[in-house]
Amino acid sequence: MFNLTGKVALVTGASGGIGAAIARTLHKQGATVVLSGTREAVLAERAAELGGERVHIVTADLSDPAAADQLVARAEEVAGAPLDILVNNAGLTRDTLAIRMKDEDWNKVLEVDLASPFRLCRAALKGMLRRRAGRIINIASVVGATGNAGQANYSAAKAGMVGMTKSLAQEAGSRGVTLNVVAPGFIATAMTDVLPEAQKEKLVGSIPLGRMGTPDDVASAVVYLASDEAAWVTGATLHVNGGMAMI
Amino acid sequence: MSEIADKVKKIVVEHLGVEESKVTPEASFIDDLGADSLDTVELVMAFEEAFNVEIPEDAAEKIATVKDAIDYIEAQKAA
């Protein structure tokens, strides 16, 4: 089950906690992984952690449309084979209440978290549709479904990602290419480490499974959707949030 | 047959995996050659790349047969 031997996977945002776990887990299942991110040194470290076999790195700043357009081709070049699996995990936040949110904060988040995944999907689909095979997994967030004060831009981008994925899933279905969303809830990463203890406790209190999620919880969901076993699942959103929002 | 017509035919054969003999000028991509809407979009993109022309959406919608494609590309190349 869930054997990915011989598959090539591109993971964006692979220097971050969740992206690194996704890359590690896909690699463990046998895939050749291409790690993408902005920080070359961190990517190199992540690649070294994977032992250097079946692993490649490509740096790209996805706020640059041209970089996003070219990333799939560059990944295929370093891997020396066409892409089987694309994981759009890269994203950023610019949190603030709406009345203080500048156009710049809005645009930056929509650009990196929604437009750039679209560009990567578009580039990857061209080859996948021709080859009649492929898996795209877009990493959204529970806030795309529930909303969150201070994240009008981020939640809009993530909700947009769900709608986009469903449309692309309909376009690609006849070719056996699937697109799905994994929507993580409250995951313990460097980003959430900085929250005050009291706030963390309150958050955990709202999670039926009684703990924060780990990057590996998210990675396992990605492996399933990337596998041959998930062949009949497309346009779905798999919520990985400990039961915090049952949607 | 013109060079353009020849190349169009080749692209259609390659993309749709159909017998060359079926790719007549009157053949409709969808009705006669078994293409679906995604195939027609892929064909148009393949024509754009092969002939280095831009085929806007409204023009692409009118390309239903092999001849439509040849005529459009020939007109673009003559312009």
Side-chain angles (χ1 to χ4, degrees), chain A residues 187-204:
Chain A
I187 307 296
T189 62
M191 208 157 72
T192 51
D193 275 350
V194 297
L195 293 174
E197 255 336 289
Q199 199 184 337
K200 271 197 253 185
E201 256 169 52
K202 199 176 148 211
L203 273 161
V204 170

Side-chain angles (χ1 to χ4, degrees), chain A residues 1 6 31 39 45 58 61 74 76 99 125 130 171 199 217 231 239-240:
Chain A
M1 295 276 274
R39 295 170 291 167
E45 218 171 283
V58 176
D61 176 4
R74 289 176 61 209
E76 293 183 333
I99 54 171
L125 278 173
R130 251 199 324 270
E171 294 184 14
Q199 199 184 337
D217 289 324
H239 287 277
V240 180

Side-chain angles (χ1 to χ4, degrees), chain A residues 88-90 113-114 117 138-141 156-166 181:
Chain A
N88 278 308
N89 167 72
D113 295 5
L114 183 58
N138 292 325
I139 309 301
S141 166
K158 294 305 190 181
M161 187 181 235
V162 172
M164 173 189 79
T165 305
K166 291 176 179 175
V181 170

Side-chain angles (χ1 to χ4, degrees), chain B residues 21-36:
Chain B
S21 61
K22 287 197 171 159
V23 187
T24 59
E26 296 74 29
S28 153
F29 297 120
I30 291 177
D31 297 332
D32 302 316
L33 302 176
D36 65 11

Side-chain angles (χ1 to χ4, degrees), chain A residues 153-193:
Chain A
N153 47 6
Y154 186 71
S155 56
K158 294 305 190 181
M161 187 181 235
V162 172
M164 173 189 79
T165 305
K166 291 176 179 175
S167 295
L168 300 183
Q170 292 182 30
E171 294 184 14
S174 67
R175 301 300 191 265
V177 176
T178 69
L179 295 98
N180 291 286
V181 170
V182 171
F186 189 46
I187 307 296
T189 62
M191 208 157 72
T192 51
D193 275 350

Side-chain angles (χ1 to χ4, degrees), chain A residues 25-52:
Chain A
T25 313
L26 293 173
H27 185 263
K28 196 173 140 199
Q29 295 307 111
T32 294
V33 293
V34 181
L35 314 181
S36 168
T38 51
R39 295 170 291 167
E40 189 168 5
V42 184
L43 289 175
E45 218 171 283
R46 300 290 195 203
E49 283 163 18
L50 298 184

